[in-house]
Amino acid sequence: RRLRTCWDNMAFTLYSLIQAAILCVNAVAVLHEERFLTKIGWGVDQSVGGFGDEPGIKVQLMNLVRSVRTVMRVPLIAVNSVCIVLLLLFG
Amino acid sequence: EDLDCHSYNNVGQRGRAAPPAGDSVLFEDTSSAAPAMNNQGYYTPGYNMGGTSNDMQGGAGVNNLFTDPMANAAMMYGSSLANQGKDMVNKEISRFMSVNKLKYFFAVDTRYVLKKLMILMFPYTHQDWEVRYHRDTPLTPRQDVNAPDLYIPTMAFITYILLAGMALGIQKRFSPEVLGLCASTALVWIIIEVLVMLLSLYLLTVHSDLSTFDLIAYSGYKYVGMIFTVLCGLLFGSDGYFVALAWSSCALMFFIVRSLKMKILPSLSSDSMGMGSSAKPQLRLYITVATAVFQPIIIYWLTSHLVR
């Protein structure tokens, strides 16, 4: 019983890391390109500039968001389905 | 002295005794050199022993098992299947991570390990922090004490888990699942730290040659400090724990800042660019300092519950 309380706030398992990663990637994948990102100035067509210069943080972030959305769209469907089934079965 | 190590097939340089044939700087995987012979040699005694033991029971047919062409063919087929499986596994693994690159990190020797451990605990007297190259490839840890390696972090990680089990046992809070919990917690923190570092290096377009394994190595060096801290805490009580924590935190922070400064920050001597990139060196400095500051926090977080 004491074991639990000592470890409760810091005991990570690999499963909780996977869950956190899935949630984060889901959050990034949900950002819609034209309805949301361009409205706040984060669309990828607005990332022109800095030809010889190195791209800034914002451009890198936008590229990252766009590539995550493109790459992870299909695998996320599979991973989310598996996660839902597992949670329904095993709580 | 001329170090000719362009093909990792270097034979001992520093006056070691004549190494055995094939002793290379990176140990080569010779297991695939003679598979057929090994398999043959392995199977033969088994069959012979089977033959002789069954002889006493009068099983005359078993004696001819080895000379039976059918069994021979089956054995050949089996060994070729095993080879195919091994090749396939190697191919799949090498798609995710290059095994050669991994071998580079484990090419250590005793002298390197001792020197590195001393530098980790007392980095203030070490003068030259530059990682030496030879024709564009970094030198292996055997030849360069500044090169990161994965042997020390791995061993330190395992030792830390064992030590945590022992510490919990001393406090009568031990159970086998706690060991697994401790291991996965530490592993998760390593993964988080490496991911955050990779993300920040990518966002700031730092074109350094820090690969993922380098980051894993640098973030695994803190386990040496953790072991030292936990040992002192166990031996000398709470006061010893905090003293050792302060000592290893300072040493580790110094070590990380000096090691990463070379790789992340642009060399200040060649300041030919001087464009509007004044924000860049600052941000890179922030990354280095943030990494360094993160170490004592995580050391405290992961060890404080062991020393109560």
Side-chain angles (χ1 to χ4, degrees):
Chain A
R1 202 54 30 145
R2 268 206 63 181
L3 207 60
R4 269 298 172 190
T5 55
C6 290
W7 280 91
D8 252 345
N9 57 344
M10 56 161 293
F12 289 132
T13 55
L14 281 178
Y15 179 62
S16 61
L17 181 70
I18 294 179
Q19 262 192 327
I22 290 182
L23 285 177
C24 286
V25 178
N26 273 337
V28 171
V30 162
L31 303 171
H32 195 276
E33 187 69 45
E34 38 175 72
R35 286 186 205 154
F36 177 65
L37 291 179
T38 44
K39 296 269 168 57
I40 62 172
W42 273 35
V44 252
D45 49 346
Q46 298 161 348
S47 68
V48 193
F51 288 108
D53 206 354
E54 287 181 356
I57 301 186
K58 193 174 131 185
V59 173
Q60 290 286 99
L61 253 180
M62 288 177 349
N63 280 336
L64 186 65
V65 165
R66 186 165 189 237
S67 28
V68 166
R69 289 184 62 244
T70 316
V71 167
M72 298 296 286
R73 187 163 291 174
V74 172
L76 265 186
I77 299 177
V79 170
N80 277 336
S81 318
V82 166
C83 207
I84 289 174
V85 166
L86 283 180
L87 280 178
L88 281 178
L89 285 181
F90 300 117
Chain B
E1 58 184 318
D2 46 351
L3 281 159
D4 185 19
C5 50
H6 70 98
S7 65
Y8 291 136
N9 275 328
N10 203 2
V11 189
Q13 295 285 329
R14 287 180 301 268
R16 275 185 278 172
D23 180 14
S24 48
V25 170
L26 288 183
F27 41 89
E28 280 183 305
D29 185 27
T30 53
S31 63
S32 58
M37 284 182 356
N38 285 341
N39 280 341
Q40 296 270 3
Y42 175 72
Y43 279 126
T44 317
Y47 274 116
N48 272 342
M49 286 193 317
T52 49
S53 67
N54 280 337
D55 208 5
M56 297 190 224
Q57 303 172 5
V62 187
N63 266 342
N64 302 328
L65 195 59
F66 186 54
T67 57
D68 184 15
M70 199 59 180
N72 236 346
M75 214 165 63
M76 294 300 223
Y77 184 62
S79 69
S80 83
L81 259 189
N83 280 341
Q84 266 181 6
K86 196 160 80 90
D87 286 338
M88 202 170 65
V89 165
N90 277 343
K91 196 161 67 88
E92 293 300 314
I93 288 188
S94 63
R95 264 209 294 175
F96 289 113
M97 59 181 180
S98 134
V99 184
N100 263 337
K101 193 119 208 290
L102 202 56
K103 283 185 189 173
Y104 159 81
F105 285 101
F106 283 98
V108 296
D109 60 349
T110 319
R111 194 188 78 108
Y112 169 81
V113 169
L114 287 176
K115 280 204 75 173
K116 195 81 179 192
L117 286 179
M118 214 190 64
I119 294 180
L120 277 171
M121 284 282 101
F122 196 77
Y124 310 108
T125 54
H126 189 68
Q127 306 290 1
D128 180 22
W129 293 85
E130 224 15 84
V131 176
R132 287 188 279 280
Y133 285 83
H134 181 77
R135 299 185 200 171
D136 273 350
T137 59
L139 288 182
T140 60
R142 274 188 205 171
Q143 292 145 345
D144 175 25
V145 91
N146 288 321
D149 72 313
L150 277 177
Y151 173 79
I152 292 182
T154 317
M155 293 293 137
F157 181 72
I158 297 176
T159 312
Y160 162 73
I161 295 174
L162 296 176
L163 206 58
M166 201 179 77
L168 286 177
I170 288 183
Q171 298 174 10
K172 307 210 175 10
R173 285 195 287 154
F174 180 78
S175 81
E177 60 220 12
V178 167
L179 220 53
L181 204 56
C182 192
S184 48
T185 305
L187 202 62
V188 161
W189 277 113
I190 287 191
I191 294 178
I192 290 180
E193 181 181 353
V194 169
L195 283 181
V196 167
M197 282 271 321
L198 278 175
L199 186 70
S200 51
L201 284 182
Y202 169 76
L203 285 183
L204 292 182
T205 58
V206 176
H207 296 300
S208 69
D209 55 350
L210 283 175
S211 71
T212 314
F213 288 133
D214 287 331
L215 290 178
I216 297 180
Y218 280 122
S219 106
Y221 281 138
K222 68 164 80 64
Y223 283 104
V224 179
M226 270 202 252
I227 293 174
F228 173 68
T229 310
V230 171
L231 270 179
C232 286
L234 286 179
L235 289 174
F236 302 121
S238 187
D239 299 332
Y241 171 71
F242 283 113
V243 164
L245 180 67
W247 174 273
S248 59
S249 310
C250 293
L252 207 62
M253 284 201 285
F254 190 85
F255 174 81
I256 291 279
V257 166
R258 288 299 291 266
S259 300
L260 291 184
K261 195 169 70 161
M262 295 284 171
K263 303 212 156 192
I264 299 186
L265 293 178
S267 58
L268 300 172
S269 58
S270 68
D271 205 13
S272 59
M273 303 283 275
M275 295 162 46
S277 61
S278 60
K280 286 304 181 55
Q282 254 188 353
L283 286 174
R284 295 183 187 198
L285 190 64
Y286 286 159
I287 289 186
T288 321
V289 171
T291 312
V293 167
F294 179 70
Q295 316 282 335
I297 296 179
I298 198 70
I299 292 183
Y300 178 72
W301 189 249
L302 284 179
T303 54
S304 68
H305 65 93
L306 294 176
V307 184
R308 204 41 74 76

